[in-house]
Amino acid sequence: MRGKFLFVGEEKLYVRGVTYGPFRPGQDGTEYPNPERVDQDFEAMSAIGINTIRTYNVPPRWFLDAAQRANLRVMVGLPWEQHVAFLDDSHTARAIEARVREAVRKCAGHAAVLCYAVGNEIPAGIVRWLGRRRVERFIENLYRVAKAEDPEALVTYVNFPTTEFLELPFLDFFCFNVYLESQRAFEAYLARLQTLAGDRPLLLAEIGLDSRRNGEQAQAASLEWQVRSAFAGGCAGTFVFSWTDEWHRGGYEVEDWDFGLTRRDRSPKLALDVMRHVFAEVPFSPNTNWPRISVIVCTYNGSRRLLAECFRHLKKIDYPDYEVIVVDDGSTDQFTDCARDYGFRLIRTPNSGLGNARNTGLFAATGEIVAYIDDDAYPDPDWLKYLAATFLHSTFIAAGGPNLPPCGDGWVADCVANSPGGPIHVMLTDREAEHIPGCNMAYRKSALLEIGGFDERFRVAGDDVDVCWSLQKRNWKLGFNPAAVVWHHRRNSVRTYLKQQRGYGRAEALLEKKWPRNTTRLVMSPGRAEYMATVSSRFFRVAAEYTKEFGGLPPSSASMGLHQDCCRL
């Protein structure tokens, strides 16, 4: 798992999933069809491009073996008494923990296991009766139990809209069941879920439509736009509910719902063939008319290691029509000459500052979209596709995406990543941004030219905020795509971090002078550098003490809490 996506080794895994079961228990108590039927189902799933199945109970080992043979991964559901007040009786709570522990132990280490789901749709009434905090702590405890038994596995909880208020930052990825029959409402709610998911991957664990009430034609049409919208909206994957109309619940066959891609006898519905075509094309249709994009990297005495990393990943971008322009703003060495080895265009200028370098790239660009990335950052392979999709399907004049800290940069960089003052997008709604940071921003070239490009008074920072406000002054809007990810190295020493913050402080003073009515939007006043120096010194002192005592920093969510403690000192 990296950022907003799941990976198998270095390959991104887009989950093209389907739910399977639950079924009537057999004579041996197994809640699955016989092995022959399972093999036939798995073969048919693989034939239409399904790569993952979701179960609602713990599968036997032979089931996982069959999935592995068919190149399928399994989201293992861990069932327990979630529809009763399970925390009112301590014996029940302990029994649930024991059951989860034993279930994970049975599957631990199997190559077919994608992840474990430690719960599914705890009813809103139960959550309110027991109290949100108690339920959150209990789910976290189940997460820890599962991790203890299978440390390398991913663990999640499957939520649904009526309990979206549950705060579960410890989960490895964000998972939701969503049933909405309006495409507009579905896409709007998906954007909300991405806001709630933050930097974690988002999977839709159930989507679907009942063909008994709506007809098989309507089911197929609905599933097509649901799956396409999910992937275009930046989801790491989705599960169609379900593989077959055969469904057993509460000791009875459910016969008045038909959500399957196949009927009870496994004869195919229209939706099965539609999913074959859709799964072959996600996340984007091969027939998309992609606009030409110019990627611009501005650098001044940038780190050789980080520049080389940036260039390598820019070369690996999966996009049919793009160019890379490297603007060297008067560096004192000639390292950027290597840009030509990658087929990139190199432009050298006297040192005139960041605003001038951005304009140099803009005026040289041949694309209708210009995308900027910093010299200490590198993109996800699909970065440009998600940015371009934002422009293709909206009237936004600009678009950005997350900039996430890479793993392995050390505890100081981790501290910086969790400190205030870093480059980050500012959202007005789930889709519209007030500001997108310079390390990950794209614009329609015509719009930038119309406002005269970047203000060259901003030599180090602040140019991105200024240009966003200039565009908004013309009533143009800025978009945000949560899947347009770049990995951005944070400062790895206190000295360079404080130098960065002083530069930000000077830039904000310029912004205040130019935009006096907009200064309330700023996170801090022009005295930001002094504030940051005080807070940061406290943060690093506490973080260093924590590292000395425990051998490392806590996870990022806990590190943020650590920083908040420092602010209160």
Side-chain angles (χ1 to χ4, degrees):
M1 186 184 75
R2 274 175 254 163
K4 297 295 292 182
F5 298 102
L6 305 179
F7 285 79
V8 177
E10 293 301 313
E11 183 178 353
K12 187 181 292 183
L13 174 67
Y14 284 108
V15 173
R16 304 185 299 273
V18 69
T19 67
Y20 195 63
F23 300 98
R24 178 184 294 277
Q27 293 182 349
D28 61 355
T30 301
E31 298 178 86
Y32 293 96
N34 62 60
E36 292 74 22
R37 168 58 78 185
V38 168
D39 284 336
Q40 292 169 5
D41 286 343
F42 286 179
E43 182 180 356
M45 291 176 191
S46 295
I48 71 162
I50 289 170
N51 62 11
T52 312
I53 55 177
R54 178 189 175 192
T55 70
Y56 295 89
N57 42 46
V58 183
R61 204 77 179 181
W62 64 260
F63 183 96
L64 296 175
D65 293 340
Q68 186 177 7
R69 289 194 301 270
N71 294 316
L72 297 172
R73 290 178 171 81
V74 183
M75 172 190 273
V76 178
L78 307 176
W80 45 272
E81 302 93 327
Q82 54 201 21
H83 295 280
V84 300
F86 49 87
L87 294 181
D88 282 351
D89 178 6
S90 60
H91 174 76
T92 300
R94 288 194 299 270
I96 291 171
E97 292 175 18
R99 197 173 312 133
V100 167
R101 181 177 292 106
E102 180 60 26
V104 175
R105 190 173 296 161
K106 289 179 179 178
C107 302
H110 200 289
V113 174
L114 171 71
C115 63
Y116 300 97
V118 295
N120 178 65
E121 294 190 358
I122 299 174
I126 297 295
V127 174
R128 291 189 173 92
W129 173 260
L130 297 175
R132 188 190 85 185
R133 298 298 186 195
R134 292 180 68 201
V135 172
E136 290 167 352
R137 287 194 296 268
F138 186 71
I139 295 173
E140 181 172 10
N141 188 48
L142 296 183
Y143 169 89
R144 305 296 174 200
V145 167
K147 281 287 190 179
E149 295 299 326
D150 198 350
E152 300 302 315
L154 300 176
V155 180
T156 189
Y157 166 78
V158 182
N159 209 341
F160 70 139
T162 54
T163 56
E164 67 170 28
F165 54 83
L166 286 173
E167 295 181 8
L168 308 170
F170 49 86
L171 295 175
D172 293 324
F173 60 90
F174 203 71
C175 223
F176 249 73
N177 296 333
V178 178
Y179 290 92
L180 289 170
E181 298 180 17
S182 159
Q183 184 173 357
R184 184 175 180 179
F186 181 90
E187 291 176 351
Y189 192 62
L190 181 60
R192 171 165 176 74
L193 291 181
Q194 288 286 16
T195 299
L196 296 175
D199 295 343
R200 290 172 294 172
L202 170 64
L203 266 73
L204 298 186
E206 286 180 14
I207 57 173
L209 190 71
D210 175 20
S211 66
R212 177 176 291 261
R213 291 166 178 78
N214 298 281
E216 293 188 6
Q217 182 75 40
Q219 180 198 34
S222 180
L223 281 174
E224 178 171 12
W225 65 252
Q226 286 183 55
V227 173
R228 291 193 188 279
S229 294
F231 282 100
C235 285
T238 186
F239 291 87
V240 172
F241 185 90
S242 61
W243 172 246
T244 173
D245 289 341
E246 182 184 354
W247 195 37
H248 184 85
R249 185 175 182 183
Y252 297 94
E253 292 292 334
V254 178
E255 298 181 345
D256 61 344
W257 280 2
D258 293 336
F259 278 83
L261 297 177
T262 67
R263 303 180 184 90
R264 287 169 177 78
D265 62 359
R266 301 306 195 270
S267 58
K269 297 182 185 178
L270 177 60
L272 187 73
D273 192 53
V274 169
M275 286 299 98
R276 184 197 315 273
H277 292 291
V278 172
F279 281 149
E281 294 180 352
V282 294
F284 297 105
S285 170
N287 299 320
T288 303
N289 186 21
W290 296 109
R292 179 167 174 78
I293 297 181
S294 298
V295 178
I296 300 170
V297 184
C298 302
T299 184
Y300 171 66
N301 288 336
S303 160
R304 293 190 172 198
R305 177 179 65 84
L306 298 184
L307 265 173
E309 179 183 55
C310 177
F311 293 167
R312 285 197 308 272
H313 284 84
L314 286 172
K315 188 68 175 178
K316 295 177 182 178
I317 286 179
D318 182 14
Y319 193 80
D321 188 11
Y322 77 103
E323 65 175 344
V324 177
I325 301 171
V326 178
V327 181
D328 188 329
D329 185 37
S331 296
T332 55
D333 63 24
Q334 301 297 307
F335 179 74
T336 49
D337 283 346
C338 71
R340 297 190 179 99
D341 297 336
Y342 292 90
F344 303 160
R345 184 177 175 187
L346 175 63
I347 303 175
R348 293 189 183 279
T349 66
N351 180 241
S352 303
L354 182 57
N356 177 270
R358 296 224 198 261
N359 283 336
T360 299
L362 168 66
F363 300 143
T366 62
E368 62 180 279
I369 305 295
V370 288
Y372 291 89
I373 187 171
D374 281 2
D375 62 356
D376 57 353
Y378 61 91
D380 177 89
D382 297 305
W383 175 52
L384 292 184
K385 283 187 176 178
Y386 284 107
L387 285 176
T390 305
F391 289 106
L392 287 174
H393 300 115
S394 74
T395 58
F396 291 130
I397 211 72
N403 69 101
L404 308 179
C407 296
D409 276 357
W411 73 267
V412 174
D414 288 344
C415 289
V416 171
N418 287 293
S419 296
I424 191 170
H425 50 276
V426 178
M427 302 299 293
L428 295 173
T429 70
D430 293 321
R431 290 171 168 165
E432 183 183 348
E434 188 269 352
H435 155 237
I436 47 179
C439 56
N440 184 4
M441 61 182 185
Y443 301 90
R444 297 186 190 274
K445 181 183 176 183
S446 59
L448 281 185
L449 292 176
E450 189 169 332
I451 64 170
F454 292 83
D455 188 332
E456 297 183 5
R457 287 177 291 179
F458 294 91
R459 294 180 56 89
V460 177
D463 58 298
D464 48 0
V465 177
D466 175 70
V467 81
C468 287
W469 288 352
S470 296
L471 293 170
Q472 289 168 328
K473 187 178 180 180
R474 300 190 177 217
N475 294 319
W476 288 333
K477 294 184 178 182
L478 320 177
F480 180 81
N481 192 309
V485 173
V486 302
W487 300 94
H488 188 200
H489 293 279
R490 290 349 189 216
R491 299 299 188 266
N492 60 6
S493 74
V494 178
R495 180 182 60 81
T496 56
Y497 173 59
L498 294 181
K499 179 181 178 182
Q500 177 195 52
Q501 296 305 313
R502 292 188 186 99
Y504 285 171
R506 287 190 290 270
E508 289 185 359
L510 286 174
L511 286 168
E512 183 181 29
K513 183 177 181 180
K514 182 176 180 179
W515 301 91
R517 295 184 179 181
N518 288 23
T519 52
T520 54
R521 301 185 189 185
L522 295 176
V523 176
M524 299 176 193
S525 68
R528 171 187 189 138
E530 289 73 18
Y531 170 87
M532 292 305 304
T534 303
V535 171
S536 298
S537 64
R538 291 171 178 169
F539 179 81
F540 283 108
R541 173 169 55 81
V542 175
E545 293 172 356
Y546 191 101
T547 301
K548 182 177 180 181
E549 182 173 355
F550 297 103
L553 274 178
S556 58
S557 59
S559 296
M560 180 59 77
L562 219 179
H563 173 263
Q564 291 167 351
D565 289 343
C566 294
C567 291
R568 288 192 291 267
L569 287 177

